[in-house]
Amino acid sequence: MSAPSTGGASRDGYGSALLRLSADPRVVVLEADLGKSTKSCLFRAEHPERTVSLGIAEQNMMLVAAGMASSGKVPFASTFAIFTERAFEQVRNGISRPGLAVHICGSHGGIHTGTDGSSAQSIEDLAIYRTIPGLTVITPCDDLSAEELTVQLLDHGNASYTRTARNKTPRMYDSETVKSLEIGKGSLLREGGDIAIVACGVMVSEAMEAAELLEGEGISARVIDMHTIKPLDSGILDDARVNCRGIVTAEDHSVIGGLGSAVAEYLATKGGFPLRMVGVNDRFGESGASSELMRHMGLTRNEIIAQAREIINSV
Amino acid sequence: MGGDAGRRNLSIPELQELSKDCRKHIVKMIHNAGAGHPGGSLSAIDIIAALYGTRLRFKTSDPDWEDRDRFVMSKGHASPAVYSILHEMGFLNENDLSTFRALGSVCQGHVDMKWTDGVDFSAGSLGMGLSFGLGCALAARMDSSSRETWVMVGDGEIQEGQIWEALMAADFHSVSGLKLIVDRNRIQNDDFVNVQMEVGDVASKIEAFGWSVREINGHDMEEIVEALEWASNENSGPSAIVAHTVKGKGVSFMEDNPSFHGKAPNDQELERALEELS
Ligand SMILES: Cc1ncc(C[n+]2csc(CCOP(=O)(O)OP(=O)(O)O)c2C)c(N)n1
């Protein structure tokens, strides 16, 4: 893989995807006064007649989207990840239970959001949405993959939640490699035979850096971009179980209920496998610059490296 | 519009007969299941009978016909009222009604669009239906379709904040295809609304949110039919009917009785109810 270039934030990819999707007249966009932040504003500028502004009223937005989906539209509704959570029961009862293909995007996910502080830093969204039957849960790592995966939602057929990030992250894909992505299939970004680092969202680039540094220590680490948390790609985990000595998960999310938990649940059903989780350790975030805060909370390549070493030293 | 897609245009006596038949289905269904919500089904059924008998355009042979009018029953616990009318309209058979609340039944405890032909919304969690109806009505407008969306809510239900989010949004977007009916039966789950948390002058409040509003006696069939026609023709924005009703209407010992909000009649009670409804 070529050296990563700097792209936009994954939320920019979401905005670009909406523009591409606008060619389909069924696509409608719903906003709750954060369209400039989630980037649905790009769609609004071109297609105001298919954009519905619902004010700061997330519960209403979710059900308006459901009603539109029941009437043949393909709704994309977005706000901050944390504020989608206010409407959790609406998503559960009003969208997923009747099987309506509403696509929710929660932007500004995770600690990475930065200086706004803990009220804006969703660290439990992946966990709660993962519990809803039939809801696809996605968290892309860069702008290009966010765009690609969002475009794929058009005919996905069931409801989805996509978490995007506020800040720019290094690109893990280019315009060609991104085309190989598929919802529900983990993406192998780097080969390696000792450790598998399974990461999602903004932690994927940290995982790549960690793998590079581990290489220098003689530890060969593969990196999997697990952009889809649900359905979880068990095949790519099986391959890691057979060919590696342990797995390190990495996510900008609580270690309770997110990617690490999903992987742990799967491994447990297979009789267990050495696993370490890097994530938010059951605490709230706080204000701070994004990168500073990620270090403060232990969401770094160094933490991934430390966990990888522990596995190598203990098995 | 061909086939059975036109309005039914039932007469007042026919509608009265229809709602009486529905009342019998309601009490029987709930007795048979040993559970269910008679009070709010009986308060709403006159309005629902008039809605299906005079306004809604749908095709029994094609329940998913995209240009059908929508009926969003937001107070989904009053499902027996919906199943009884769907039976009378030919969507459900007698046997379906007798399986109400049983494992695998098309008549789920609360109305559910995934399980029942003719049901447009999956309810059960109060406060969500008006938003859903707003989505249906917005989609209809984008499609330049004249299909209407009718939403029914309970007066206890409007304690939910989401109802007021939807009222505000419908006015802002001036969605005239959206019609709301409030079943103002003055009783909710535990007790009377004025004991639990009084909602007050509902009509004025909804009017203050920019809607056109009418108040009616929700058991006077002529008034109901006239109000439904008014709402149907109201094109300046969303319209609402606040229907003053009696919870448990038609069965003396259920009328105005909070204990029959969510309780099935026993054998003797069913007998008495059917006698009164015959
Ligand atoms: C969100 C939510 N909270 C609580 C309930 C439980 N519940 C079912 S019916 C009911 C009372 C509803 O009262 P109202 O809206 O007045 O309906 P009606 O009297 O017409 O039956 C309650 C509290 C529910 N279904 N949904």
Side-chain angles (χ1 to χ4, degrees), chain B residues 130-141:
Chain B
L130 187 57
S131 306
F132 187 89
L134 173 56
C136 294
L138 282 165
R141 187 166 71 186

Side-chain angles (χ1 to χ4, degrees), chain A residues 5-231:
Chain A
S5 64
T6 43
S10 54
R11 61 180 169 134
D12 296 314
Y14 175 74
S16 310
L18 292 183
L19 280 182
R20 276 172 63 189
L21 288 168
S22 68
D24 188 312
R26 296 172 303 160
V27 172
V28 293
V29 161
L30 293 91
E31 299 182 331
D33 200 27
L34 282 170
K36 283 187 194 160
S37 302
T38 69
K39 295 299 168 189
S40 66
C41 60
L42 299 176
F43 183 99
R44 164 181 288 285
E46 304 265 320
H47 303 280
E49 76 294 346
R50 278 194 276 147
T51 308
V52 184
S53 170
L54 291 157
I56 312 162
E58 298 77 13
Q59 303 171 57
N60 185 46
M61 177 172 75
M62 294 305 178
L63 265 293
V64 170
M68 296 185 91
S70 84
S71 303
K73 304 295 176 199
V74 183
F76 286 78
S78 65
T79 178
F80 280 9
I82 192 75
F83 305 134
T84 69
E85 293 180 23
R86 169 181 303 229
F88 174 76
E89 199 240 344
Q90 277 78 2
V91 175
R92 190 252 188 218
N93 268 330
I95 293 175
S96 286
R97 200 169 50 98
L100 295 166
V102 169
H103 303 296
I104 301 159
C105 175
S107 76
H108 295 56
I111 295 297
H112 175 82
T113 294
T115 59
D116 271 346
S118 58
S119 72
Q121 296 160 350
S122 169
I123 51 170
E124 58 286 310
D125 52 338
L126 305 177
I128 62 174
Y129 291 120
R130 200 165 69 82
T131 61
I132 299 181
L135 189 82
T136 299
V137 180
I138 298 172
T139 174
C141 66
D142 67 7
D143 58 345
L144 293 178
S145 59
E147 179 176 334
E148 174 62 29
L149 293 166
T150 303
V151 165
Q152 288 182 21
L153 289 172
L154 181 63
D155 292 307
H156 186 59
N158 54 299
S160 69
Y161 172 78
T162 299
R163 177 213 264 206
T164 59
R166 176 182 187 276
N167 307 312
K168 287 183 183 177
T169 45
R171 274 193 178 146
M172 296 292 108
Y173 300 93
D174 59 36
S175 56
E176 275 311 307
T177 55
V178 79
K179 289 181 188 152
S180 67
L181 290 179
E182 202 183 317
I183 293 171
K185 290 263 166 277
S187 163
L188 185 66
L189 288 178
R190 180 188 167 109
E191 297 279 2
D194 296 321
I195 291 288
I197 308 172
V198 180
C200 64
V202 299
M203 291 303 286
V204 174
S205 58
E206 290 297 314
M208 288 295 274
E209 296 292 344
E212 191 69 40
L213 292 166
L214 284 166
E215 187 84 58
E217 299 179 16
I219 299 174
S220 157
R222 69 176 64 178
V223 175
I224 295 163
D225 170 16
M226 199 66 104
H227 48 76
T228 308
I229 313 294
K230 187 184 180 182

Side-chain angles (χ1 to χ4, degrees), chain A residues 233-254:
Chain A
D233 184 353
S234 54
I236 207 165
L237 294 177
D238 286 338
D239 192 79
R241 277 195 309 125
V242 172
N243 295 306
C244 301
R245 293 156 70 186
I247 292 177
V248 178
T249 58
E251 61 198 306
D252 180 4
H253 183 277
S254 174

Side-chain angles (χ1 to χ4, degrees), chain A residues 89, chain B residues 37 39-41 43-44 75 77-78 110 124-128 153-158 160 183 185-190 193 247 261:
Chain A
E89 199 240 344
Chain B
H37 298 79
S41 298
S43 63
K75 43 170 237 173
H77 56 281
H110 293 73
S125 178
L126 294 167
M128 299 193 192
V153 298
D155 53 357
E157 179 179 9
I158 67 173
E160 283 285 358
D183 182 359
N185 61 29
R186 303 182 305 113
I187 295 175
Q188 50 191 107
N189 183 73
D190 282 354
V193 175
K247 198 148 171 171
H261 164 74

Side-chain angles (χ1 to χ4, degrees), chain B:
Chain B
M1 235 171 302
D4 58 352
R7 294 197 163 108
R8 265 84 187 150
N9 296 323
L10 299 190
S11 67
I12 299 293
E14 284 172 328
L15 291 172
Q16 285 162 339
E17 203 53 37
L18 177 62
S19 68
K20 196 193 231 182
D21 289 341
C22 286
R23 283 196 160 87
K24 289 183 216 162
H25 298 312
I26 289 168
V27 291
K28 278 199 254 181
M29 220 183 303
I30 297 173
H31 167 264
N32 190 54
H37 298 79
S41 298
L42 293 169
S43 63
I45 194 61
D46 289 324
I47 302 159
I48 291 172
L51 193 58
Y52 277 80
T54 67
R55 305 291 351 149
L56 297 185
R57 293 158 297 188
F58 56 90
K59 297 179 185 174
T60 313
S61 55
D62 181 11
D64 296 330
W65 174 45
E66 63 179 30
D67 248 347
R68 70 189 184 280
D69 292 326
R70 305 303 203 264
F71 177 51
V72 176
M73 185 55 156
S74 190
K75 43 170 237 173
H77 56 281
S79 54
V82 177
Y83 299 143
S84 68
I85 198 76
L86 291 180
H87 169 56
E88 290 294 328
M89 295 292 132
F91 287 103
L92 295 170
N93 61 40
E94 196 111 27
N95 184 52
D96 294 330
L97 299 190
S98 73
T99 63
F100 174 50
R101 285 180 174 254
L103 183 66
S105 173
V106 295
C107 296
Q108 294 285 299
H110 293 73
V111 287
D112 195 322
M113 63 188 284
K114 225 178 147 176
W115 287 78
T116 319
D117 284 346
V119 168
D120 291 323
F121 176 57
S122 294
S125 178
L126 294 167
M128 299 193 192
L130 187 57
S131 306
F132 187 89
L134 173 56
C136 294
L138 282 165
R141 187 166 71 186
M142 284 178 185
D143 293 344
S144 304
S145 164
S146 64
R147 61 181 186 258
E148 295 173 353
T149 304
W150 294 81
V151 179
M152 177 177 269
V153 298
D155 53 357
E157 179 179 9
I158 67 173
Q159 292 159 348
E160 283 285 358
Q162 188 181 348
I163 293 288
W164 303 90
E165 295 181 0
L167 284 167
M168 201 184 299
D171 169 50
F172 173 70
H173 291 286
S174 197
V175 186
S176 54
L178 182 63
K179 326 285 179 188
L180 170 66
I181 300 161
V182 183
D183 182 359
R184 184 74 167 105
N185 61 29
R186 303 182 305 113
I187 295 175
Q188 50 191 107
N189 183 73
D190 282 354
D191 210 326
F192 285 87
V193 175
N194 67 4
V195 175
Q196 295 303 107
M197 191 181 89
E198 178 55 12
V199 293
D201 185 349
V202 176
S204 300
K205 287 177 181 171
I206 296 176
E207 216 159 41
F209 275 67
W211 289 51
S212 302
V213 186
R214 272 207 188 176
E215 290 190 81
I216 61 165
N217 171 351
H219 300 302
D220 181 320
M221 203 51 93
E222 287 193 36
E223 259 190 64
I224 298 170
V225 168
E226 208 264 327
L228 294 177
E229 190 180 351
W230 162 80
S232 189
N233 293 329
E234 187 56 44
N235 285 324
S236 58
S239 50
I241 297 167
V242 177
H244 295 277
T245 59
V246 175
K247 198 148 171 171
K249 176 74 178 176
V251 179
S252 60
F253 57 92
M254 293 185 180
E255 286 191 3
D256 240 0
N257 181 356
S259 69
F260 273 101
H261 164 74
K263 189 177 73 165
N266 62 27
D267 293 351
Q268 294 96 315
E269 285 165 341
L270 175 70
E271 210 172 305
R272 267 181 68 197
L274 290 174
E275 254 167 51
E276 291 183 22
L277 292 169
S278 62

